[in-house]
Amino acid sequence: MRRIPPVKASVRFPVSPTLLRRLAYTSIIANVAIVVTGGGVRLTRSGLGCPTWPRCTDESYTTTPEMGINGVIEFGNRLLTFVVGIIALAVVLGVLAQRPRRRGLLPLAIGVLFGIPAQAVIGGFTVLTNLNPWVVGLHFLASMVVIGAAYALWKRTTEPDGPVTPTVPAPLRTLALLTTVVSAAVLVVGTWVTGSGPHAGDQGAARNGLDPEAISQVHADGVFLLVGLSVALLFAFRAVGATRAARAAGILVAVELGQGLIGFVQYFTHLPAALVAAHMLGSCLVLLATLGVLWATRERHPAPPAPVAAAPAGQPVTTAA
């Protein structure tokens, strides 16, 4: 009787570079989407729709009919965290399954995966602290960090594994880094503006005590500085013939002007919820466009070929593993 060979447990399911890039890009979209939906929770005053965490009530992990639409909105946003986490897990599995294994992808993928539950825990503390505005701001900034990591991962999937070389002179790389720092500072001050404004997430939630008009002016000054630096980058990149970097800087300026317009209109129309939500989306886009400029100041080349190992006379030459 013929013996059937056992099935090997090490069967591999390689993931193509294209699929991995799409998964990484989907992770960016998902993380941006949950920022916007989280803003929707606050703007509909559903921040305490589930009044405790990790349960929705003291007796139930899910919303109850007595909690009404606010409970549904808050619980729905919590469920979206699992969707974002599943996508991040799929990216990690894709990185592990890719053959040949890419250097540098796994730490970024794991960082995004573990950043999502960390961000969820901070979100839980916002509920346990009755929507303390400083904790709410930290929750938003944690999301920005995860989005930044997801962007870095996506860009890494589009690059070869060779060394990094600059595409612009060193002073312009420094200016791009400075612009990134200012962009991050604008995001931080923006959370202070939000914490002083009317959209607290619940009628009983406290505000941070800052004067809304004064802190809004500080935020606007930071935006003016950011736009000025971005325009300077645009012209400087064009002057040195850095076409790719100039294109990225042009996109950043356009996104900043759109975001600034939304910001001014929402301020003078007393912060309508729809414009506040659009402004939150714009914050994510500004971050991504800023990182796009930073990445455009450098590039990776394909890794150099493996060195040829010397072989004794009469034997074929092989390359080093």
Side-chain angles (χ1 to χ4, degrees), residues 150-202:
Y151 179 85
L153 173 62
W154 172 66
K155 291 297 291 185
R156 191 68 183 84
T157 64
T158 67
E159 300 174 331
D161 288 330
V164 175
T165 58
T167 59
V168 299
L172 294 187
R173 290 202 71 191
T174 302
L175 183 58
L177 182 60
L178 175 62
T179 303
T180 304
V181 172
V182 172
S183 181
V186 168
L187 287 176
V188 172
V189 178
T191 65
W192 301 349
V193 176
T194 300
S196 68
H199 296 294
D202 185 81

mmCIF file of all heavy atoms in Angstrom, residues 150-202:
data_model
loop_
_atom_site.group_PDB
_atom_site.id
_atom_site.type_symbol
_atom_site.label_atom_id
_atom_site.label_comp_id
_atom_site.label_asym_id
_atom_site.label_seq_id
_atom_site.Cartn_x
_atom_site.Cartn_y
_atom_site.Cartn_z
ATOM 1 N N ALA A 150 1.709 54.776 10.927
ATOM 2 C CA ALA A 150 1.098 54.072 9.795
ATOM 3 C C ALA A 150 1.586 54.653 8.471
ATOM 4 O O ALA A 150 1.811 53.918 7.497
ATOM 5 C CB ALA A 150 -0.424 54.160 9.889
ATOM 6 N N TYR A 151 1.769 55.964 8.431
ATOM 7 C CA TYR A 151 2.284 56.597 7.212
ATOM 8 C C TYR A 151 3.721 56.152 6.950
ATOM 9 O O TYR A 151 4.078 55.829 5.811
ATOM 10 C CB TYR A 151 2.223 58.120 7.344
ATOM 11 C CG TYR A 151 2.751 58.849 6.130
ATOM 12 C CD1 TYR A 151 1.932 59.103 5.046
ATOM 13 C CD2 TYR A 151 4.077 59.268 6.063
ATOM 14 C CE1 TYR A 151 2.412 59.758 3.918
ATOM 15 C CE2 TYR A 151 4.579 59.917 4.940
ATOM 16 C CZ TYR A 151 3.732 60.166 3.877
ATOM 17 O OH TYR A 151 4.231 60.807 2.758
ATOM 18 N N ALA A 152 4.542 56.139 7.996
ATOM 19 C CA ALA A 152 5.933 55.702 7.834
ATOM 20 C C ALA A 152 5.991 54.270 7.327
ATOM 21 O O ALA A 152 6.819 53.930 6.467
ATOM 22 C CB ALA A 152 6.672 55.837 9.163
ATOM 23 N N LEU A 153 5.112 53.420 7.835
ATOM 24 C CA LEU A 153 5.076 52.032 7.382
ATOM 25 C C LEU A 153 4.688 51.953 5.912
ATOM 26 O O LEU A 153 5.303 51.221 5.126
ATOM 27 C CB LEU A 153 4.088 51.238 8.238
ATOM 28 C CG LEU A 153 3.805 49.799 7.789
ATOM 29 C CD1 LEU A 153 5.074 48.962 7.827
ATOM 30 C CD2 LEU A 153 2.718 49.180 8.661
ATOM 31 N N TRP A 154 3.660 52.703 5.533
ATOM 32 C CA TRP A 154 3.227 52.684 4.136
ATOM 33 C C TRP A 154 4.340 53.157 3.197
ATOM 34 O O TRP A 154 4.603 52.530 2.167
ATOM 35 C CB TRP A 154 1.992 53.561 3.968
ATOM 36 C CG TRP A 154 1.597 53.750 2.535
ATOM 37 C CD1 TRP A 154 1.142 52.797 1.673
ATOM 38 C CD2 TRP A 154 1.658 54.973 1.798
ATOM 39 N NE1 TRP A 154 0.900 53.354 0.433
ATOM 40 C CE2 TRP A 154 1.204 54.686 0.483
ATOM 41 C CE3 TRP A 154 2.020 56.273 2.117
ATOM 42 C CZ2 TRP A 154 1.124 55.665 -0.508
ATOM 43 C CZ3 TRP A 154 1.938 57.249 1.134
ATOM 44 C CH2 TRP A 154 1.503 56.950 -0.158
ATOM 45 N N LYS A 155 4.995 54.259 3.570
ATOM 46 C CA LYS A 155 6.085 54.755 2.726
ATOM 47 C C LYS A 155 7.207 53.735 2.636
ATOM 48 O O LYS A 155 7.829 53.566 1.581
ATOM 49 C CB LYS A 155 6.612 56.076 3.271
ATOM 50 C CG LYS A 155 5.654 57.244 3.144
ATOM 51 C CD LYS A 155 5.340 57.559 1.690
ATOM 52 C CE LYS A 155 6.516 58.122 0.941
ATOM 53 N NZ LYS A 155 6.163 58.538 -0.439
ATOM 54 N N ARG A 156 7.468 53.041 3.729
ATOM 55 C CA ARG A 156 8.549 52.046 3.723
ATOM 56 C C ARG A 156 8.216 50.888 2.782
ATOM 57 O O ARG A 156 9.124 50.304 2.180
ATOM 58 C CB ARG A 156 8.761 51.538 5.148
ATOM 59 C CG ARG A 156 10.004 50.702 5.333
ATOM 60 C CD ARG A 156 11.268 51.530 5.171
ATOM 61 N NE ARG A 156 12.447 50.692 5.275
ATOM 62 C CZ ARG A 156 12.966 49.997 4.262
ATOM 63 N NH1 ARG A 156 12.396 50.061 3.060
ATOM 64 N NH2 ARG A 156 14.043 49.263 4.436
ATOM 65 N N THR A 157 6.924 50.570 2.647
ATOM 66 C CA THR A 157 6.549 49.489 1.732
ATOM 67 C C THR A 157 6.732 49.896 0.274
ATOM 68 O O THR A 157 6.747 49.032 -0.613
ATOM 69 C CB THR A 157 5.088 49.063 1.942
ATOM 70 O OG1 THR A 157 4.208 50.157 1.622
ATOM 71 C CG2 THR A 157 4.859 48.592 3.363
ATOM 72 N N THR A 158 6.835 51.183 -0.009
ATOM 73 C CA THR A 158 6.998 51.653 -1.387
ATOM 74 C C THR A 158 8.462 51.844 -1.752
ATOM 75 O O THR A 158 8.759 52.193 -2.902
ATOM 76 C CB THR A 158 6.265 52.989 -1.585
ATOM 77 O OG1 THR A 158 6.895 54.023 -0.812
ATOM 78 C CG2 THR A 158 4.801 52.879 -1.174
ATOM 79 N N GLU A 159 9.373 51.643 -0.800
ATOM 80 C CA GLU A 159 10.791 51.913 -1.030
ATOM 81 C C GLU A 159 11.590 50.615 -1.090
ATOM 82 O O GLU A 159 11.195 49.610 -0.486
ATOM 83 C CB GLU A 159 11.353 52.779 0.109
ATOM 84 C CG GLU A 159 10.681 54.117 0.278
ATOM 85 C CD GLU A 159 11.187 54.846 1.507
ATOM 86 O OE1 GLU A 159 11.597 54.167 2.473
ATOM 87 O OE2 GLU A 159 11.165 56.095 1.511
ATOM 88 N N PRO A 160 12.733 50.638 -1.765
ATOM 89 C CA PRO A 160 13.641 49.493 -1.685
ATOM 90 C C PRO A 160 14.365 49.478 -0.343
ATOM 91 O O PRO A 160 14.126 50.349 0.510
ATOM 92 C CB PRO A 160 14.613 49.738 -2.849
ATOM 93 C CG PRO A 160 14.586 51.223 -3.047
ATOM 94 C CD PRO A 160 13.193 51.658 -2.717
ATOM 95 N N ASP A 161 15.240 48.522 -0.143
ATOM 96 C CA ASP A 161 15.911 48.346 1.140
ATOM 97 C C ASP A 161 17.324 48.919 1.190
ATOM 98 O O ASP A 161 18.076 48.624 2.114
ATOM 99 C CB ASP A 161 15.975 46.850 1.494
ATOM 100 C CG ASP A 161 14.608 46.306 1.888
ATOM 101 O OD1 ASP A 161 13.811 47.081 2.413
ATOM 102 O OD2 ASP A 161 14.364 45.107 1.646
ATOM 103 N N GLY A 162 17.684 49.723 0.223
ATOM 104 C CA GLY A 162 19.027 50.275 0.184
ATOM 105 C C GLY A 162 19.205 51.443 1.138
ATOM 106 O O GLY A 162 18.299 51.807 1.889
ATOM 107 N N PRO A 163 20.377 52.078 1.095
ATOM 108 C CA PRO A 163 20.658 53.192 2.000
ATOM 109 C C PRO A 163 19.851 54.437 1.643
ATOM 110 O O PRO A 163 19.410 54.617 0.506
ATOM 111 C CB PRO A 163 22.163 53.434 1.784
ATOM 112 C CG PRO A 163 22.431 52.910 0.403
ATOM 113 C CD PRO A 163 21.521 51.741 0.235
ATOM 114 N N VAL A 164 19.658 55.291 2.641
ATOM 115 C CA VAL A 164 18.926 56.551 2.465
ATOM 116 C C VAL A 164 19.900 57.635 2.019
ATOM 117 O O VAL A 164 20.976 57.788 2.599
ATOM 118 C CB VAL A 164 18.231 56.969 3.771
ATOM 119 C CG1 VAL A 164 17.570 58.331 3.617
ATOM 120 C CG2 VAL A 164 17.214 55.929 4.188
ATOM 121 N N THR A 165 19.509 58.378 0.993
ATOM 122 C CA THR A 165 20.319 59.504 0.534
ATOM 123 C C THR A 165 19.434 60.738 0.436
ATOM 124 O O THR A 165 18.251 60.640 0.074
ATOM 125 C CB THR A 165 20.957 59.222 -0.840
ATOM 126 O OG1 THR A 165 19.918 58.950 -1.788
ATOM 127 C CG2 THR A 165 21.907 58.036 -0.767
ATOM 128 N N PRO A 166 19.960 61.924 0.748
ATOM 129 C CA PRO A 166 19.155 63.150 0.658
ATOM 130 C C PRO A 166 18.910 63.554 -0.793
ATOM 131 O O PRO A 166 19.740 63.299 -1.669
ATOM 132 C CB PRO A 166 20.004 64.189 1.392
ATOM 133 C CG PRO A 166 21.400 63.679 1.292
ATOM 134 C CD PRO A 166 21.312 62.192 1.285
ATOM 135 N N THR A 167 17.793 64.200 -1.030
ATOM 136 C CA THR A 167 17.466 64.721 -2.361
ATOM 137 C C THR A 167 17.560 66.237 -2.412
ATOM 138 O O THR A 167 17.398 66.824 -3.486
ATOM 139 C CB THR A 167 16.053 64.297 -2.770
ATOM 140 O OG1 THR A 167 15.111 64.798 -1.807
ATOM 141 C CG2 THR A 167 15.941 62.776 -2.840
ATOM 142 N N VAL A 168 17.793 66.869 -1.267
ATOM 143 C CA VAL A 168 17.926 68.324 -1.193
ATOM 144 C C VAL A 168 19.117 68.647 -0.303
ATOM 145 O O VAL A 168 19.564 67.794 0.482
ATOM 146 C CB VAL A 168 16.641 68.975 -0.624
ATOM 147 C CG1 VAL A 168 15.442 68.682 -1.511
ATOM 148 C CG2 VAL A 168 16.377 68.510 0.797
ATOM 149 N N PRO A 169 19.656 69.853 -0.387
ATOM 150 C CA PRO A 169 20.769 70.226 0.486
ATOM 151 C C PRO A 169 20.399 70.140 1.964
ATOM 152 O O PRO A 169 19.224 70.238 2.337
ATOM 153 C CB PRO A 169 21.073 71.671 0.067
ATOM 154 C CG PRO A 169 20.551 71.785 -1.329
ATOM 155 C CD PRO A 169 19.346 70.898 -1.380
ATOM 156 N N ALA A 170 21.413 69.966 2.796
ATOM 157 C CA ALA A 170 21.203 69.789 4.232
ATOM 158 C C ALA A 170 20.398 70.919 4.878
ATOM 159 O O ALA A 170 19.529 70.662 5.719
ATOM 160 C CB ALA A 170 22.551 69.614 4.942
ATOM 161 N N PRO A 171 20.650 72.210 4.541
ATOM 162 C CA PRO A 171 19.852 73.272 5.166
ATOM 163 C C PRO A 171 18.358 73.139 4.884
ATOM 164 O O PRO A 171 17.531 73.459 5.749
ATOM 165 C CB PRO A 171 20.427 74.554 4.546
ATOM 166 C CG PRO A 171 21.819 74.204 4.163
ATOM 167 C CD PRO A 171 21.747 72.778 3.721
ATOM 168 N N LEU A 172 18.006 72.645 3.699
ATOM 169 C CA LEU A 172 16.587 72.493 3.382
ATOM 170 C C LEU A 172 15.981 71.299 4.107
ATOM 171 O O LEU A 172 14.799 71.310 4.466
ATOM 172 C CB LEU A 172 16.403 72.351 1.872
ATOM 173 C CG LEU A 172 16.763 73.591 1.053
ATOM 174 C CD1 LEU A 172 16.394 73.398 -0.407
ATOM 175 C CD2 LEU A 172 16.094 74.833 1.613
ATOM 176 N N ARG A 173 16.785 70.278 4.353
ATOM 177 C CA ARG A 173 16.294 69.161 5.164
ATOM 178 C C ARG A 173 16.033 69.638 6.594
ATOM 179 O O ARG A 173 15.052 69.247 7.223
ATOM 180 C CB ARG A 173 17.303 68.018 5.180
ATOM 181 C CG ARG A 173 17.441 67.295 3.851
ATOM 182 C CD ARG A 173 17.996 65.897 4.046
ATOM 183 N NE ARG A 173 16.993 65.042 4.670
ATOM 184 C CZ ARG A 173 17.259 63.825 5.149
ATOM 185 N NH1 ARG A 173 18.491 63.346 5.106
ATOM 186 N NH2 ARG A 173 16.307 63.101 5.683
ATOM 187 N N THR A 174 16.908 70.498 7.093
ATOM 188 C CA THR A 174 16.705 71.065 8.427
ATOM 189 C C THR A 174 15.444 71.911 8.466
ATOM 190 O O THR A 174 14.665 71.857 9.429
ATOM 191 C CB THR A 174 17.921 71.907 8.839
ATOM 192 O OG1 THR A 174 19.097 71.087 8.813
ATOM 193 C CG2 THR A 174 17.739 72.493 10.233
ATOM 194 N N LEU A 175 15.216 72.699 7.408
ATOM 195 C CA LEU A 175 14.011 73.523 7.346
ATOM 196 C C LEU A 175 12.758 72.645 7.282
ATOM 197 O O LEU A 175 11.742 72.967 7.908
ATOM 198 C CB LEU A 175 14.076 74.442 6.127
ATOM 199 C CG LEU A 175 12.913 75.432 5.952
ATOM 200 C CD1 LEU A 175 12.799 76.339 7.172
ATOM 201 C CD2 LEU A 175 13.097 76.256 4.677
ATOM 202 N N ALA A 176 12.829 71.543 6.554
ATOM 203 C CA ALA A 176 11.691 70.626 6.496
ATOM 204 C C ALA A 176 11.418 70.007 7.863
ATOM 205 O O ALA A 176 10.259 69.834 8.268
ATOM 206 C CB ALA A 176 11.950 69.532 5.459
ATOM 207 N N LEU A 177 12.476 69.678 8.591
ATOM 208 C CA LEU A 177 12.308 69.129 9.937
ATOM 209 C C LEU A 177 11.703 70.170 10.873
ATOM 210 O O LEU A 177 10.822 69.857 11.686
ATOM 211 C CB LEU A 177 13.654 68.642 10.467
ATOM 212 C CG LEU A 177 13.651 67.997 11.855
ATOM 213 C CD1 LEU A 177 12.739 66.776 11.876
ATOM 214 C CD2 LEU A 177 15.069 67.607 12.270
ATOM 215 N N LEU A 178 12.155 71.416 10.756
ATOM 216 C CA LEU A 178 11.592 72.502 11.562
ATOM 217 C C LEU A 178 10.109 72.682 11.255
ATOM 218 O O LEU A 178 9.289 72.880 12.168
ATOM 219 C CB LEU A 178 12.353 73.797 11.304
ATOM 220 C CG LEU A 178 11.808 75.051 11.996
ATOM 221 C CD1 LEU A 178 11.859 74.903 13.508
ATOM 222 C CD2 LEU A 178 12.596 76.293 11.552
ATOM 223 N N THR A 179 9.752 72.597 9.987
ATOM 224 C CA THR A 179 8.344 72.709 9.594
ATOM 225 C C THR A 179 7.519 71.593 10.214
ATOM 226 O O THR A 179 6.385 71.806 10.655
ATOM 227 C CB THR A 179 8.222 72.671 8.060
ATOM 228 O OG1 THR A 179 9.024 73.718 7.496
ATOM 229 C CG2 THR A 179 6.782 72.850 7.625
ATOM 230 N N THR A 180 8.084 70.400 10.275
ATOM 231 C CA THR A 180 7.392 69.266 10.896
ATOM 232 C C THR A 180 7.162 69.519 12.382
ATOM 233 O O THR A 180 6.082 69.234 12.911
ATOM 234 C CB THR A 180 8.204 67.978 10.695
ATOM 235 O OG1 THR A 180 8.445 67.768 9.306
ATOM 236 C CG2 THR A 180 7.470 66.776 11.265
ATOM 237 N N VAL A 181 8.175 70.073 13.056
ATOM 238 C CA VAL A 181 8.036 70.374 14.485
ATOM 239 C C VAL A 181 6.949 71.431 14.709
ATOM 240 O O VAL A 181 6.112 71.307 15.620
ATOM 241 C CB VAL A 181 9.388 70.850 15.055
ATOM 242 C CG1 VAL A 181 9.223 71.362 16.492
ATOM 243 C CG2 VAL A 181 10.413 69.727 15.017
ATOM 244 N N VAL A 182 6.932 72.459 13.865
ATOM 245 C CA VAL A 182 5.919 73.504 13.992
ATOM 246 C C VAL A 182 4.529 72.930 13.715
ATOM 247 O O VAL A 182 3.549 73.263 14.400
ATOM 248 C CB VAL A 182 6.225 74.677 13.041
ATOM 249 C CG1 VAL A 182 5.073 75.685 13.025
ATOM 250 C CG2 VAL A 182 7.514 75.369 13.455
ATOM 251 N N SER A 183 4.433 72.037 12.734
ATOM 252 C CA SER A 183 3.154 71.401 12.446
ATOM 253 C C SER A 183 2.649 70.615 13.650
ATOM 254 O O SER A 183 1.456 70.685 14.001
ATOM 255 C CB SER A 183 3.308 70.473 11.232
ATOM 256 O OG SER A 183 2.084 69.851 10.910
ATOM 257 N N ALA A 184 3.551 69.887 14.312
ATOM 258 C CA ALA A 184 3.164 69.140 15.515
ATOM 259 C C ALA A 184 2.725 70.094 16.625
ATOM 260 O O ALA A 184 1.748 69.832 17.341
ATOM 261 C CB ALA A 184 4.325 68.273 15.984
ATOM 262 N N ALA A 185 3.433 71.226 16.766
ATOM 263 C CA ALA A 185 3.071 72.204 17.796
ATOM 264 C C ALA A 185 1.690 72.798 17.527
ATOM 265 O O ALA A 185 0.904 73.028 18.464
ATOM 266 C CB ALA A 185 4.126 73.310 17.849
ATOM 267 N N VAL A 186 1.375 73.042 16.257
ATOM 268 C CA VAL A 186 0.055 73.567 15.904
ATOM 269 C C VAL A 186 -1.037 72.571 16.295
ATOM 270 O O VAL A 186 -2.099 72.952 16.790
ATOM 271 C CB VAL A 186 0.002 73.893 14.397
ATOM 272 C CG1 VAL A 186 -1.438 74.148 13.951
ATOM 273 C CG2 VAL A 186 0.863 75.105 14.086
ATOM 274 N N LEU A 187 -0.765 71.280 16.095
ATOM 275 C CA LEU A 187 -1.733 70.259 16.498
ATOM 276 C C LEU A 187 -1.945 70.269 18.011
ATOM 277 O O LEU A 187 -3.076 70.164 18.491
ATOM 278 C CB LEU A 187 -1.252 68.884 16.047
ATOM 279 C CG LEU A 187 -1.326 68.566 14.557
ATOM 280 C CD1 LEU A 187 -0.709 67.202 14.275
ATOM 281 C CD2 LEU A 187 -2.763 68.594 14.068
ATOM 282 N N VAL A 188 -0.854 70.408 18.754
ATOM 283 C CA VAL A 188 -0.961 70.416 20.218
ATOM 284 C C VAL A 188 -1.789 71.614 20.678
ATOM 285 O O VAL A 188 -2.725 71.468 21.490
ATOM 286 C CB VAL A 188 0.437 70.439 20.855
ATOM 287 C CG1 VAL A 188 0.323 70.649 22.366
ATOM 288 C CG2 VAL A 188 1.190 69.139 20.565
ATOM 289 N N VAL A 189 -1.459 72.798 20.171
ATOM 290 C CA VAL A 189 -2.201 73.995 20.579
ATOM 291 C C VAL A 189 -3.656 73.892 20.130
ATOM 292 O O VAL A 189 -4.565 74.386 20.812
ATOM 293 C CB VAL A 189 -1.530 75.261 20.008
ATOM 294 C CG1 VAL A 189 -2.328 76.517 20.375
ATOM 295 C CG2 VAL A 189 -0.105 75.396 20.540
ATOM 296 N N GLY A 190 -3.884 73.228 18.999
ATOM 297 C CA GLY A 190 -5.263 73.034 18.551
ATOM 298 C C GLY A 190 -6.097 72.260 19.556
ATOM 299 O O GLY A 190 -7.293 72.539 19.724
ATOM 300 N N THR A 191 -5.485 71.302 20.253
ATOM 301 C CA THR A 191 -6.235 70.571 21.289
ATOM 302 C C THR A 191 -6.562 71.493 22.469
ATOM 303 O O THR A 191 -7.589 71.309 23.126
ATOM 304 C CB THR A 191 -5.441 69.356 21.796
ATOM 305 O OG1 THR A 191 -4.239 69.789 22.457
ATOM 306 C CG2 THR A 191 -5.071 68.432 20.648
ATOM 307 N N TRP A 192 -5.697 72.472 22.732
ATOM 308 C CA TRP A 192 -5.997 73.430 23.795
ATOM 309 C C TRP A 192 -7.187 74.311 23.403
ATOM 310 O O TRP A 192 -8.029 74.629 24.248
ATOM 311 C CB TRP A 192 -4.791 74.306 24.085
ATOM 312 C CG TRP A 192 -3.569 73.555 24.497
ATOM 313 C CD1 TRP A 192 -3.481 72.236 24.834
ATOM 314 C CD2 TRP A 192 -2.239 74.073 24.604
ATOM 315 N NE1 TRP A 192 -2.193 71.896 25.151
ATOM 316 C CE2 TRP A 192 -1.398 73.004 25.021
ATOM 317 C CE3 TRP A 192 -1.674 75.324 24.389
ATOM 318 C CZ2 TRP A 192 -0.032 73.165 25.213
ATOM 319 C CZ3 TRP A 192 -0.301 75.497 24.582
ATOM 320 C CH2 TRP A 192 0.503 74.426 24.995
ATOM 321 N N VAL A 193 -7.237 74.697 22.123
ATOM 322 C CA VAL A 193 -8.373 75.482 21.641
ATOM 323 C C VAL A 193 -9.660 74.674 21.796
ATOM 324 O O VAL A 193 -10.674 75.176 22.293
ATOM 325 C CB VAL A 193 -8.158 75.890 20.164
ATOM 326 C CG1 VAL A 193 -9.398 76.619 19.639
ATOM 327 C CG2 VAL A 193 -6.931 76.772 20.032
ATOM 328 N N THR A 194 -9.610 73.416 21.396
ATOM 329 C CA THR A 194 -10.783 72.555 21.522
ATOM 330 C C THR A 194 -11.207 72.415 22.980
ATOM 331 O O THR A 194 -12.402 72.446 23.300
ATOM 332 C CB THR A 194 -10.481 71.165 20.933
ATOM 333 O OG1 THR A 194 -10.151 71.302 19.552
ATOM 334 C CG2 THR A 194 -11.672 70.248 21.079
ATOM 335 N N GLY A 195 -10.229 72.271 23.868
ATOM 336 C CA GLY A 195 -10.532 72.107 25.289
ATOM 337 C C GLY A 195 -11.124 73.342 25.934
ATOM 338 O O GLY A 195 -11.707 73.256 27.026
ATOM 339 N N SER A 196 -10.984 74.492 25.280
ATOM 340 C CA SER A 196 -11.569 75.722 25.824
ATOM 341 C C SER A 196 -12.907 76.059 25.194
ATOM 342 O O SER A 196 -13.592 76.988 25.634
ATOM 343 C CB SER A 196 -10.610 76.901 25.594
ATOM 344 O OG SER A 196 -10.520 77.210 24.195
ATOM 345 N N GLY A 197 -13.273 75.308 24.138
ATOM 346 C CA GLY A 197 -14.473 75.634 23.385
ATOM 347 C C GLY A 197 -15.718 74.943 23.895
ATOM 348 O O GLY A 197 -15.712 74.254 24.921
ATOM 349 N N PRO A 198 -16.818 75.085 23.141
ATOM 350 C CA PRO A 198 -18.118 74.597 23.631
ATOM 351 C C PRO A 198 -18.358 73.112 23.417
ATOM 352 O O PRO A 198 -19.232 72.543 24.072
ATOM 353 C CB PRO A 198 -19.113 75.423 22.801
ATOM 354 C CG PRO A 198 -18.384 75.695 21.514
ATOM 355 C CD PRO A 198 -16.940 75.847 21.879
ATOM 356 N N HIS A 199 -17.640 72.471 22.508
ATOM 357 C CA HIS A 199 -17.939 71.067 22.194
ATOM 358 C C HIS A 199 -17.168 70.153 23.146
ATOM 359 O O HIS A 199 -16.113 69.622 22.815
ATOM 360 C CB HIS A 199 -17.582 70.770 20.740
ATOM 361 C CG HIS A 199 -18.405 71.556 19.761
ATOM 362 N ND1 HIS A 199 -19.761 71.368 19.607
ATOM 363 C CD2 HIS A 199 -18.053 72.538 18.882
ATOM 364 C CE1 HIS A 199 -20.213 72.190 18.681
ATOM 365 N NE2 HIS A 199 -19.198 72.909 18.222
ATOM 366 N N ALA A 200 -17.746 69.959 24.324
ATOM 367 C CA ALA A 200 -17.059 69.214 25.374
ATOM 368 C C ALA A 200 -17.305 67.716 25.287
ATOM 369 O O ALA A 200 -16.604 66.938 25.928
ATOM 370 C CB ALA A 200 -17.500 69.726 26.748
ATOM 371 N N GLY A 201 -18.320 67.304 24.530
ATOM 372 C CA GLY A 201 -18.665 65.888 24.463
ATOM 373 C C GLY A 201 -19.790 65.512 25.391
ATOM 374 O O GLY A 201 -20.399 64.454 25.238
ATOM 375 N N ASP A 202 -20.084 66.368 26.360
ATOM 376 C CA ASP A 202 -21.185 66.136 27.294
ATOM 377 C C ASP A 202 -21.493 67.466 27.973
ATOM 378 O O ASP A 202 -20.596 68.287 28.205
ATOM 379 C CB ASP A 202 -20.813 65.086 28.341
ATOM 380 C CG ASP A 202 -21.980 64.732 29.244
ATOM 381 O OD1 ASP A 202 -22.828 63.922 28.816
ATOM 382 O OD2 ASP A 202 -22.037 65.266 30.359
#
